[in-house]
Amino acid sequence: MSAAWLAVDWGSTNVRLWALDRDGEVMARRALSRGSDRLTPADYEPVLLTLAGKLLPEAGRVPAVLCGMAGARQGWREAPYRAVPCNPAGGETVSVPTRDPRLDVRIVPGLCRSEPPDVMRGEETQIAGLLALEPVVAGSACLPGTHAKWARVSGGQVVGIATALIGELFALLSSRSVLRHSLGEGWDEAAFAEGVSRSLGAPEALVAALFEPRARSLIDGLSGDAARAFLSGLLIGAELTAMRRFWEEGQVTIIGQTALAGRYETALAAQGVAARRVEVEAVTLAGLRAHHARLWGDGT
Amino acid sequence: MSAAWLAVDWGSTNVRLWALDRDGEVMARRALSRGSDRLTPADYEPVLLTLAGKLLPEAGRVPAVLCGMAGARQGWREAPYRAVPCNPAGGETVSVPTRDPRLDVRIVPGLCRSEPPDVMRGEETQIAGLLALEPVVAGSACLPGTHAKWARVSGGQVVGIATALIGELFALLSSRSVLRHSLGEGWDEAAFAEGVSRSLGAPEALVAALFEPRARSLIDGLSGDAARAFLSGLLIGAELTAMRRFWEEGQVTIIGQTALAGRYETALAAQGVAARRVEVEAVTLAGLRAHHARLWGDGT
């Protein structure tokens, strides 16, 4: 059976596709490690055709709704950012001509903010899905990852966004800096909690505290597991410090079921904030469904 | 003519040797990119013999005074850290047996501090040299680099030390993070000054501000040169924030004549601090001379 439409989340490192039937139910899932970081514009259509395969009909035209880095300036085709405040499920999508006549490709726009400057691309669709599934009156979404994103939501609109390079900083410091000599592969909850509270208590000391996992392993025999967890705590604590306006008031929703997302939940709980967790796939798909319904009706 | 003694600064990436004559004058300088990062304990003696070459006598024993990473746990032989406060030109040196009977190798110890934990190895000799050349009543030394070090000096002793991973953070963020797409090779003084004052004005926002060079290049067309200088300013500003206790009172001496050292001078000047600059070679050699004089007399 061929799909009624395709939902696609095209990230920097991976691309994920869901095939939906006429009732809007997922009939197939596909994924490839063909993220936009390694693609030129001419690569996208062949990758999409490989992913969709026999889910495409022999004749007829199937909508493909894409979010993420396919819409970046160096992606398939640029889908300009929309300024917040705005409804994250709205905005003009960008049509991309294809050689294969069976594809009707639309890329959804990202979001931007001018003061202070910030952008997001892909996460806005997850937030749109969150709002579609469970309308939030006033609160924030936290999306942990390589570039952690925060969004303030009010009255069905995204009213503020911010980014922290925390995931990328942790990866670079733990694998490529001098700290790598002192870090293990395991975990230590107490050391994580200590790192979080150190950063929240003394945000001005962050860049000095970052050397501590090394110094403590040299002179105090700090374990590799504790050093790793302490570094993670310092960085997530520094992020919570920078993002305080997002979590001090209203419901906080963490999008993600990863171990990393769990650490954000723990760190927020230590500040007295009971965040809830939702699954990335559920909200991504709900966001792409909202765009599909807006462009082609809801299929009923 | 053979040397009376050898002064050696063995860093992580490079090793530098000075050959001194009987009057304590430099008769030759040598350097190799054979830093401790790429050496096993058995490699040090052959590298030292290569560096010294014909500067060694055919017979007789020549002192070689080493500072830096040769004394690290993974170096040639560990020279344990000494706790501050202490005189940076003092402490027990560690003798290293050699196959070649002409070498009398002594490694000087590094410094450590327990609360908060910190260490330095190599920089203590530069500070010892600074104190030998120009005794400072009360002030601080700032040593920019991969791991920037600060030391508080009082009454001929080092009374406090601290480290910031700033050089390493800048290198990793500018060459390996998402920011690399937005950074040029040039410089922009105004953007640097903006970064410094942003970090000093809002230290709690650092990890969010680190994404700004990327966001501003995407939505405001920020130039690559300005993005690079802004990032450098954010990081040096964050370091000044963390190290405020070192520069708020007393004379600040920046050890280094590099462009990076110049940026610290500029950033401090913007806070109303007129730092002075001294050359690394001069103070390193003066520090090793102080150790040599202590161990073997001053040669006169």
Side-chain angles (χ1 to χ4, degrees):
Chain A
M1 196 177 73
S2 61
W5 68 282
L6 305 172
V8 183
D9 178 13
W10 215 308
S12 317
T13 49
N14 296 294
V15 51
R16 288 180 190 79
L17 174 147
W18 297 266
L20 292 305
D21 65 20
R22 282 168 203 281
D23 299 323
E25 297 297 319
V26 176
M27 51 185 284
R29 288 173 173 77
R30 304 272 188 274
L32 280 175
S33 55
R34 299 297 305 276
S36 59
D37 273 356
R38 283 170 280 174
L39 301 182
T40 66
D43 298 327
Y44 284 85
E45 184 176 341
V47 172
L48 184 53
L49 289 170
T50 303
L51 268 175
K54 293 185 178 166
L55 296 164
L56 285 176
E58 289 188 18
R61 201 151 185 237
V62 170
V65 185
L66 277 59
C67 68
M69 300 308 288
R73 199 171 298 167
Q74 281 84 28
W76 193 352
R77 191 177 183 122
E78 186 174 6
Y81 296 109
R82 297 167 64 218
V84 297
C86 66
N87 173 354
E92 295 238 351
T93 57
V94 168
S95 284
V96 191
T98 55
R99 287 164 175 269
D100 191 311
R102 296 172 301 171
L103 289 169
D104 182 2
V105 173
R106 312 289 178 98
I107 307 181
V108 311
L111 299 183
C112 70
R113 171 189 169 130
S114 53
E115 200 49 55
D118 218 310
V119 295
M120 64 169 55
R121 196 177 277 291
E123 295 88 355
E124 76 295 328
T125 302
Q126 297 179 32
I127 297 162
L130 180 65
L131 288 174
L133 293 176
E134 317 169 34
V136 175
V137 178
S140 290
C142 164
L143 300 93
T146 308
H147 304 150
K149 301 282 180 179
W150 290 74
R152 188 82 187 163
V153 173
S154 176
Q157 299 216 318
V158 173
V159 297
I161 60 174
T163 305
L165 286 181
I166 290 306
E168 194 153 32
L169 267 180
F170 182 77
L172 290 170
L173 287 172
S174 62
S175 67
R176 296 189 180 273
S177 83
V178 70
L179 302 183
R180 72 187 186 279
H181 302 300
S182 303
L183 263 53
E185 292 295 317
W187 196 251
D188 181 316
E189 279 301 335
F192 175 73
E194 188 192 346
V196 170
S197 84
R198 276 285 294 282
S199 276
L200 279 155
E204 74 288 351
L206 177 67
V207 298
L210 287 178
F211 188 64
E212 258 194 56
R214 178 71 179 151
R216 287 170 66 178
S217 98
L218 287 170
I219 63 178
D220 291 346
L222 184 73
S223 79
D225 293 353
R228 180 182 190 80
F230 180 66
L231 174 64
S232 173
L234 283 176
L235 290 172
I236 291 178
E239 178 174 338
L240 292 191
T241 306
M243 303 301 178
R244 191 180 287 278
R245 68 187 185 281
F246 287 96
W247 55 264
E248 271 195 333
E249 272 181 53
Q251 173 71 52
V252 176
T253 303
I254 299 169
I255 299 182
Q257 296 291 7
T258 58
L260 178 64
R263 288 173 201 161
Y264 279 75
E265 189 178 18
T266 302
L268 282 165
Q271 317 317 315
V273 175
R276 60 175 185 166
R277 301 258 293 275
V278 298
E279 292 206 350
V280 172
E281 177 173 350
V283 294
T284 305
L285 198 44
L288 289 166
R289 275 194 174 109
H291 279 287
H292 179 262
R294 184 166 63 90
L295 294 166
W296 287 281
D298 61 5
T300 57
Chain B
M1 196 176 75
S2 60
W5 67 283
L6 306 172
V8 183
D9 177 14
W10 216 308
S12 319
T13 50
N14 296 294
V15 50
R16 288 181 189 80
L17 174 147
W18 297 265
L20 291 305
D21 65 20
R22 281 168 202 281
D23 299 323
E25 297 297 318
V26 174
M27 51 185 283
R29 287 173 173 77
R30 303 272 187 274
L32 280 175
S33 56
R34 300 297 305 277
S36 59
D37 273 356
R38 283 171 280 173
L39 301 182
T40 65
D43 297 328
Y44 285 84
E45 184 177 339
V47 172
L48 184 53
L49 289 170
T50 303
L51 269 174
K54 294 186 178 165
L55 296 165
L56 284 176
E58 290 188 18
R61 202 153 183 234
V62 171
V65 185
L66 277 59
C67 68
M69 300 307 288
R73 199 169 300 168
Q74 282 85 29
W76 193 351
R77 190 178 182 122
E78 186 173 6
Y81 296 109
R82 296 168 64 220
V84 296
C86 66
N87 172 356
E92 294 239 352
T93 57
V94 168
S95 284
V96 191
T98 54
R99 288 166 174 268
D100 191 312
R102 296 172 300 169
L103 289 170
D104 182 2
V105 174
R106 310 288 177 100
I107 307 181
V108 311
L111 299 183
C112 70
R113 173 190 167 128
S114 54
E115 199 51 53
D118 218 312
V119 294
M120 63 169 56
R121 196 178 277 293
E123 295 88 355
E124 77 294 328
T125 302
Q126 297 179 32
I127 297 162
L130 180 66
L131 288 174
L133 292 175
E134 318 170 35
V136 174
V137 178
S140 290
C142 163
L143 300 91
T146 307
H147 304 150
K149 302 282 179 178
W150 290 73
R152 188 82 186 162
V153 173
S154 178
Q157 299 215 316
V158 173
V159 296
I161 60 174
T163 305
L165 287 181
I166 289 307
E168 193 153 32
L169 266 180
F170 182 76
L172 290 170
L173 287 171
S174 63
S175 67
R176 297 191 180 272
S177 84
V178 69
L179 301 181
R180 71 186 185 280
H181 302 300
S182 302
L183 263 51
E185 293 295 317
W187 196 250
D188 181 315
E189 279 299 336
F192 175 72
E194 188 192 346
V196 170
S197 85
R198 276 285 295 283
S199 275
L200 278 155
E204 74 288 352
L206 175 68
V207 298
L210 288 178
F211 188 65
E212 257 192 58
R214 177 71 179 152
R216 288 170 65 178
S217 98
L218 286 170
I219 63 180
D220 291 346
L222 183 73
S223 79
D225 293 352
R228 180 181 191 78
F230 180 66
L231 174 64
S232 173
L234 282 177
L235 290 172
I236 290 177
E239 178 174 338
L240 292 191
T241 306
M243 304 299 177
R244 191 179 287 277
R245 68 187 185 282
F246 287 95
W247 54 263
E248 270 194 335
E249 271 181 54
Q251 174 72 54
V252 177
T253 303
I254 299 170
I255 299 181
Q257 296 292 7
T258 58
L260 178 63
R263 288 173 200 159
Y264 279 74
E265 188 177 19
T266 302
L268 283 166
Q271 317 317 316
V273 175
R276 59 174 185 166
R277 302 256 293 276
V278 298
E279 292 204 350
V280 172
E281 178 174 350
V283 293
T284 305
L285 198 46
L288 290 166
R289 275 193 174 108
H291 280 287
H292 179 262
R294 186 166 61 91
L295 294 166
W296 287 280
D298 62 3
T300 58

